Amino acid sequence: MLRIGVDVGGTHTDAVLMDGRELLSSTKAPTTHDVTSGVEVAIDSVLSRGGVPRSAVAHVMIGTTHFTNAVIERRHLSEVAVIRLGLPAAACVPPMVDWPDDLRAAVGRHVHMLRGGHEYDGRVLSELDVDGLGIIAKHIGEQRTPAAAITSIFSPVNDAFERRARDYLLERHPALRVVISSEIGQIGLLERENATILNASLLELADRTAVALDDALRECGLQCGYSITQNDGTLMSADHVRRLPVLTFGSGPTNSMRGAGFLSGLSDAIVVDVGGTTSDVGALVNGFPRQASTVVHMGGIRTSFRMPDVQSIGVGGGSIVTERGRRVGPRSLGHRITDEGLVFGGPTTTATDAAVRAGVAHIGDRAAADVIPPEVAATALETIHHEIERAVERAQTSSTRVPVLAVGGGAFLLPRRLNDLDVVQLAHAGVANAIGAAIAQVSGEVDRVFDMDGGRNAALDLAEEEARARAVEAGAVPASLELLERDDTPLAYLSGSARRVRVRVIGDLEAPR
Amino acid sequence: MKTRRLTEADISALEIGAGILGAGGGGNTYLAKVRTREIMRSGLPIDLLAPEDLPADAAVVPLAGVGATLVGIERIKEGREGVRALRALEQHLNFTADAIVCTEIGGANSMEPLIIAVQAGLPVVDADGMGRAFPEMQMTTFSIYGHKSTPSAMSDPHGNVVVFEHAVTERWHERMVRATMVAQGGSSTLALAPMSGTFIKEFAIPRSYTKAMALGRAVLGARTHSRDPVEAITALEGGRLAHAGKITDLKREISGGFARGEVRIDGVDDFIGTRARMSLQNEYIALHVDGRLEVVVPDLIVVLDAEDGSPISTEMLRYGQRVAVLVLPSHDLLRTPRALDVVGPDRLA
């Protein structure tokens, strides 16, 4: 099956054309302000180089930081009616209480708390306040709020009130975009609520982006559909992304790590992605990035996304060398390196210049690097190696020794060995992220509290059935589904039969009709 | 009574210090910090009272949240559970509380008394009943040295209030409280029978808040000035660095309502070539280095992120983490035969 993988980064839009597991062509194009014209250029270029008929392309997989950046830059966010169901519980911690002011302002200050919610065992906490919903519906009409985010206490256990509230609002405002928290996240009220609000505020942007990407594909003469990669390295359909854009957060590093795994043929490794300003270091376990176990901060707020556990360190190809090589970064020339770096005729000594001086890289005007004393170049590389070594050490996930995969534009900064681990320099490492997008599969996940009264296995089977249904809904071929995780944990301090169950399945994307 | 007014900076320091004194347990302090901060921003003062300034006949009520962490982060407190429990107890026993005291300075329960004290218009005694975190209610110096914690009153977010009239032992009290807490949805707040100022002066662990805030400030200060936070803490508390290394094995399971497990650490730097083993049961219970018992409860085993000095609770442990293991001495009140019978290695390890 012919696929195109695209990765839209902050600076570059990369694309690859793949036939099954074979890389036919690749390209790098500048990311454009509107995102889609850069995608168009990249796809066009990879198709011309690949020399295949456009009609033969079966699917396009796109990874994008578009939605992450919208939150970080507080741009393109719509106002949201924030509704929490659960009073009297949680009255002392209102929604968005710990948000930065500018982000709170960007989503408006339409905060409502009503009675509702459930207990941990699924009992009703308090009956849903339908009159209160009526007042909120009126507010939404008056203020023309385009979206609503509904979070009910323990909705991962019982989402009945969230659904009822959604139906109620939609009946009165059919054009309103409503997000319910049980679709977004797990137990942990504030984190799930935060993610739900962000998701609601991104829906208009998601609509525009989905339509624009579709147009871009048509402009390129492609008739196939496309999917977007989400943070766990799997795909969601264009329709899915229009409902759940937050799930794209963190997909950049995930794609890069998955691509590195694919290029090396390894499923367990440490991946170091050396960029211009920073390097991302993470662990690949069974072909997927290890996920962060703690709360993840996004744009200054706490959320509970399944994000890859990636450490970003302030060392990259454009990092500025000071203190005779004892200090490299975190200040960096970034993309200005091609004007201001020594080997590009500029005045500033960067990590790249030190590597050229030491003879480990061959970039630009070699002679221009000779102004660096050799011992300074050597010290700078040692400093860089030491920084990366520490990050690699933290990323190691087991006592089994695994290789280090070097990817990214500054991969030459890595030595042959790090902490006794072999470093593998990968061909096509510059487009590992686009390859990661091209090879993505489809998953389904369930993570909530189940009652084990009917027996543990029955509950786990029920959870697995739900996870499979979700994967199929997301576009997976039912027969290809494999179980990735299936485990349950009892709840500390609560005897009885409630256990938290987590099941994840993965399968191949259904070939388009 | 002479008191010291707390600032928002004090609460930020307390968040870290209470995490350190949690010795791996005590639950998450984030939500409690946000609640405390919100109350301060509404203009209400939080006042700390030195134990020596308590009148001998003062009525001091210990207050604590009880419940499952998972419920605590989802069905967040309504906010006035504690003050309801306190008022119910006052009414039941026909007395008026003069001050609030903390039962457990380690973790989230360090802040609960501050919030309730503000709502009740009372000061908080700068003291607690553990000097750290322990998994059960009877493990306070109050109970150990003879305070009978019933009658007590417990409330939930709905407004339900239960009074426990009499428990034949402190362990029975703990058992009944736990059962009622589950019926109330897995998270409640409890006000225990009042103690006298004289009892607090003799049997409470003094200066707990001062100590926790100083620990937090030391870590924050070390971070700001790029100094070693581990050194800053040991310098302050008469503790020592017992091991430093990388987590190479991690087993955790939940049995009997407790999170139990074992961690192995391979030494680095000064500890290169040595291996440590820690057992845990909600908190860190014992530390062995190269097979030799290095420290055991009730002394505090504190695991810190080697980079930034933040405390790592047992549920935050991860394979490959670089950690520093510190030992802080427990208070003398926890080291008597009577105390060791309740919180010593035979009971916990």
Side-chain angles (χ1 to χ4, degrees):
Chain A
M1 165 163 146
L2 274 177
R3 311 166 141 196
I4 293 174
V6 181
D7 182 89
V8 187
T11 351
H12 287 112
T13 297
D14 304 339
V16 294
L17 176 66
M18 293 184 78
D19 186 2
R21 300 180 64 81
E22 191 193 345
L23 179 65
L24 298 183
S25 62
S26 67
T27 192
K28 263 183 182 306
T31 294
T32 52
H33 193 66
D34 65 346
V35 174
T36 45
S37 50
V39 170
E40 229 172 281
V41 169
I43 290 181
D44 224 32
S45 148
V46 86
L47 278 168
S48 322
R49 289 181 203 195
V52 297
R54 296 180 181 223
S55 57
V57 176
H59 207 74
V60 178
M61 284 83 164
I62 303 169
T64 175
T65 52
H66 202 40
F67 300 110
T68 314
N69 291 342
V71 172
I72 292 171
E73 296 163 12
R74 281 81 160 120
R75 290 171 58 220
H76 310 301
L77 301 175
S78 15
E79 299 211 346
V80 180
V82 176
I83 304 165
R84 184 196 288 167
L85 311 175
L87 286 180
C92 58
V93 187
M96 307 198 282
V97 66
D98 208 17
W99 284 36
D101 275 339
D102 55 350
L103 191 54
R104 219 187 308 192
V107 302
R109 294 163 194 273
H110 319 285
V111 179
H112 310 275
M113 290 197 276
L114 294 181
R115 293 181 75 83
H118 288 80
E119 303 281 359
Y120 73 90
D121 56 3
R123 284 179 294 166
V124 169
L125 192 154
S126 45
E127 284 299 341
L128 182 61
D129 178 358
V130 182
D131 293 344
L133 279 177
I135 296 168
I136 294 171
K138 206 161 147 267
H139 274 283
I140 289 172
E142 284 163 7
Q143 306 189 341
R144 298 172 199 279
T145 321
I150 305 174
T151 309
S152 185
I153 290 183
F154 272 116
S155 68
V157 175
N158 188 336
D159 65 355
F161 288 163
E162 286 187 354
R163 288 166 179 277
R164 260 177 67 191
R166 176 178 61 188
D167 293 347
Y168 182 96
L169 293 178
L170 285 178
E171 224 169 80
R172 278 143 193 89
H173 302 290
L176 183 71
R177 301 293 304 271
V178 185
V179 186
I180 59 175
S181 80
S182 50
E183 287 190 331
I184 302 279
Q186 313 144 15
I187 290 171
L189 181 68
L190 291 188
E191 293 79 13
R192 188 176 74 253
E193 180 175 72
N194 288 346
T196 308
I197 299 167
L198 284 187
N199 194 75
S201 75
L202 286 167
L203 289 175
E204 290 189 324
L205 178 64
D207 278 344
R208 289 201 301 274
T209 308
V211 170
L213 286 174
D214 206 52
D215 289 348
L217 263 54
R218 302 301 149 244
E219 284 293 317
C220 297
L222 295 172
Q223 277 106 51
C224 62
Y226 70 94
S227 304
I228 304 270
T229 58
Q230 52 181 335
N231 45 22
D232 65 352
T234 63
L235 295 171
M236 27 186 203
S237 66
D239 283 344
H240 208 67
V241 102
R242 291 171 79 156
R243 281 201 296 126
L244 299 170
V246 284
L247 296 185
T248 63
F249 290 0
S251 63
T254 300
N255 286 340
S256 151
M257 289 169 70
R258 297 254 307 146
F262 176 84
L263 287 168
S264 65
L266 295 168
S267 55
D268 294 273
I270 306 291
V271 181
V272 182
D273 186 345
V274 188
T277 303
T278 58
S279 298
D280 289 341
V281 183
L284 205 57
V285 182
N286 292 326
F288 286 90
R290 177 170 66 168
Q291 291 180 1
S293 54
T294 49
V295 165
V296 178
H297 287 260
M298 168 63 62
I301 63 171
R302 289 164 67 94
T303 61
S304 55
F305 298 114
R306 294 163 307 176
M307 297 282 262
D309 188 4
V310 172
Q311 309 164 58
S312 224
I313 55 171
V315 173
S319 295
I320 297 170
V321 176
T322 52
E323 294 176 27
R324 297 187 60 77
R326 286 193 307 277
R327 196 178 177 103
V328 181
R331 285 202 309 130
S332 165
L333 290 183
H335 63 267
R336 299 197 319 275
I337 186 174
T338 49
D339 294 322
E340 296 176 32
L342 283 181
V343 296
F344 297 103
T348 311
T349 306
T350 66
T352 300
D353 301 312
V356 169
R357 179 68 173 99
V360 300
H362 307 283
I363 300 166
D365 176 13
R366 224 205 133 207
D370 285 346
V371 298
I372 310 172
E375 69 278 9
V376 170
T379 309
L381 285 181
E382 261 174 49
T383 307
I384 295 165
H385 296 170
H386 183 69
E387 292 254 340
I388 295 176
E389 204 162 74
R390 288 184 71 105
V392 165
E393 198 182 291
R394 287 194 292 264
Q396 274 175 272
T397 52
S398 73
S399 45
T400 329
R401 284 154 41 101
V402 293
V404 175
L405 308 179
V407 298
F412 56 81
L413 290 176
L414 266 66
R416 291 203 179 135
R417 289 178 73 75
L418 266 174
N419 293 352
D420 258 9
L421 303 176
D422 289 325
V423 174
V424 182
Q425 296 276 352
L426 297 171
H428 310 297
V431 289
N433 40 17
I435 291 173
I439 60 163
Q441 292 173 291
V442 182
S443 73
E445 183 184 323
V446 167
D447 180 358
R448 58 184 178 88
V449 177
F450 277 76
D451 196 327
M452 298 280 162
D453 274 348
R456 178 165 168 266
N457 269 329
L460 287 175
D461 288 349
L462 185 67
E464 190 178 323
E465 214 172 281
E466 267 185 53
R468 284 174 184 271
R470 285 186 187 194
V472 172
E473 194 198 336
V477 180
S480 71
L481 288 177
E482 279 176 63
L483 194 61
L484 270 189
E485 275 174 63
R486 175 173 154 139
D487 56 45
D488 62 320
T489 39
L491 310 181
Y493 283 127
L494 293 180
S495 54
S497 56
R499 291 164 87 90
R500 179 178 184 166
V501 176
R502 186 171 148 99
V503 177
R504 220 151 71 90
V505 298
I506 191 162
D508 296 329
L509 182 74
E510 180 125 39
R513 285 155 294 271
Chain B
M1 292 188 280
K2 202 173 71 200
T3 55
R4 168 173 184 269
R5 190 145 293 183
L6 297 186
T7 64
E8 261 192 52
D10 289 332
I11 300 303
S12 297
L14 178 60
E15 183 188 14
I16 296 175
I20 292 171
L21 294 175
N28 191 312
T29 47
Y30 168 75
L31 274 175
K33 180 196 74 177
V34 171
R35 289 172 57 205
T36 313
R37 208 187 52 196
E38 286 307 295
I39 283 186
M40 285 183 139
R41 289 186 182 169
S42 73
L44 295 168
I46 299 180
D47 292 324
L48 217 51
L49 174 69
E52 56 269 28
D53 292 335
L54 263 180
D57 60 351
V60 185
V61 175
L63 278 152
V66 287
T69 307
L70 198 71
V71 174
I73 60 169
E74 175 71 27
R75 195 194 69 171
I76 297 169
K77 285 182 193 300
E78 173 262 348
R80 298 188 63 85
E81 288 88 338
V83 77
R84 270 198 299 276
L86 172 67
R87 295 304 185 219
L89 189 68
E90 285 179 326
Q91 201 178 2
H92 183 73
L93 290 177
N94 193 23
F95 80 107
T96 309
D98 297 308
I100 303 295
V101 69
C102 172
T103 57
E104 181 182 35
I105 193 71
N109 264 333
S110 61
M111 305 223 195
E112 201 63 41
L114 303 180
I115 295 165
I116 300 163
V118 169
Q119 293 169 340
L122 295 173
V124 180
V125 184
D126 188 3
D128 84 310
M130 294 181 181
R132 48 167 296 157
F134 280 126
E136 296 184 321
M137 274 168 44
Q138 75 277 7
M139 299 174 176
T140 61
T141 51
F142 312 146
S143 294
I144 289 167
Y145 293 105
H147 174 62
K148 182 175 175 310
S149 59
T150 49
S152 64
M154 188 158 100
S155 182
D156 68 8
H158 299 281
N160 293 312
V161 179
V162 174
V163 171
F164 297 89
E165 176 62 39
H166 174 66
V168 290
T169 63
E170 293 295 285
R171 286 177 76 89
W172 266 109
H173 190 203
E174 153 80 27
R175 200 182 294 181
M176 294 189 293
V177 161
R178 196 147 294 203
T180 310
M181 175 269 285
V182 171
Q184 290 186 340
S187 164
S188 308
T189 308
L190 183 69
L192 301 170
M195 296 173 285
S196 70
T198 309
F199 186 90
I200 292 280
K201 287 179 206 186
E202 195 167 354
F203 296 118
I205 293 172
R207 303 270 167 205
S208 303
Y209 283 100
T210 302
K211 179 168 160 178
M213 291 186 295
L215 284 169
R217 271 194 298 272
V219 172
L220 290 172
R223 275 184 206 163
T224 317
H225 300 105
S226 304
R227 286 197 304 263
D228 183 6
V230 176
E231 260 172 43
I233 294 173
T234 45
L236 204 68
E237 266 310 313
R240 68 188 168 89
L241 181 63
H243 202 253
K246 194 179 148 167
I247 297 178
T248 53
D249 194 21
L250 179 58
K251 286 192 205 86
R252 268 174 308 192
E253 52 163 25
I254 293 188
S255 64
F258 293 114
R260 296 175 211 266
E262 200 174 86
V263 196
R264 284 174 196 276
I265 302 168
D266 275 8
V268 296
D269 303 335
D270 290 351
F271 296 90
I272 201 140
T274 66
R275 301 193 71 186
R277 175 166 60 85
M278 273 189 312
S279 48
L280 49 103
Q281 180 185 305
N282 288 18
E283 286 82 36
Y284 300 110
I285 297 294
L287 171 73
H288 289 82
V289 177
D290 288 339
R292 199 182 62 248
L293 180 66
E294 191 80 14
V295 62
V296 68
V297 282
D299 282 344
L300 287 77
I301 302 167
V302 179
V303 178
L304 299 174
D305 181 313
E307 299 283 312
D308 68 2
S310 16
I312 299 175
S313 68
T314 57
E315 67 250 40
M316 285 158 63
L317 289 169
R318 260 194 16 222
Y319 184 92
Q321 265 171 332
R322 279 280 293 269
V323 297
V325 185
L326 260 64
V327 176
L328 303 181
S330 59
H331 193 270
D332 286 343
L333 283 167
L334 288 177
R335 309 166 77 110
T336 65
R338 198 164 164 182
L340 292 177
D341 199 36
V342 181
V343 297
D346 293 342
R347 186 62 74 181
L348 287 171

